[in-house]
Amino acid sequence: MKFVWPPIAKALDERAQKIAAGLAAAEKAKAELASANQRVEQELVQSRNETTSRLADAERRAQQIIEEAKGRATVEANKIVADAHAEAEQQSVRAREALREQVAALAVKGAEQILRKEVNAGVHADLLQRLKTEL
């Protein structure tokens, strides 16, 4: 046994060392896999956060663009309404002036018929002007 036992013991020791080395390598690979999984998870979380942030920024920008467009549309609408009011006022003034002219002409015709003589516009310009103003 003296001669048989040392090579068997040596073979058993070598086998034990190989098993221990294999177990250590498996533990090391397991730790590296866990570390890689953790890094992947961190990168996924970071990617999700960046995506959420970009979506929020895009939504804020879209709302800002919408609000700016609404503001410009409101300004334009107010301008159109103001222009329409001004035009209506001008037309009203022109219509009143035309009506005054017509009433003055009718008043002169009425006065001519009452007086049975012609009223001269050049001679009675002051009187006709006061009549227009009063009407």
Side-chain angles (χ1 to χ4, degrees):
M1 284 242 175
K2 194 178 186 185
F3 295 109
V4 174
W5 188 250
I8 292 175
K10 183 179 175 187
L12 287 175
D13 285 341
E14 286 175 0
R15 179 81 174 141
Q17 286 176 354
K18 286 182 183 178
I19 290 173
L23 289 173
E27 281 298 317
K28 183 178 177 185
K30 187 177 178 183
E32 287 176 358
L33 179 62
S35 175
N37 283 338
Q38 187 178 13
R39 283 192 310 269
V40 166
E41 188 62 34
Q42 287 174 350
E43 288 180 16
L44 283 173
V45 167
Q46 182 180 359
S47 177
R48 285 184 194 120
N49 289 340
E50 287 176 6
T51 301
T52 302
S53 174
R54 287 181 181 170
L55 284 174
D57 288 344
E59 287 176 10
R60 279 193 297 273
R61 181 65 183 137
Q63 285 298 326
Q64 181 182 11
I65 290 170
I66 289 169
E67 291 302 319
E68 288 172 358
K70 283 181 182 177
R72 286 191 305 268
T74 301
V75 167
E76 185 66 23
N78 289 341
K79 182 180 179 231
I80 289 169
V81 169
D83 290 346
H85 282 216
E87 180 65 25
E89 184 63 30
Q90 288 175 356
Q91 287 178 356
S92 175
V93 167
R94 285 193 297 264
R96 275 190 237 127
E97 190 60 37
L99 186 60
R100 280 191 189 119
E101 294 288 333
Q102 290 174 357
V103 169
L106 287 174
V108 168
K109 276 201 171 273
E112 283 178 356
Q113 288 178 0
I114 291 173
L115 297 175
R116 297 276 185 224
K117 63 180 183 177
E118 185 177 327
V119 177
N120 187 344
V123 174
H124 300 100
D126 186 40
L127 177 64
L128 291 174
Q129 186 60 36
R130 275 188 290 153
L131 182 60
K132 282 184 190 177
T133 305
E134 288 175 11
L135 295 177

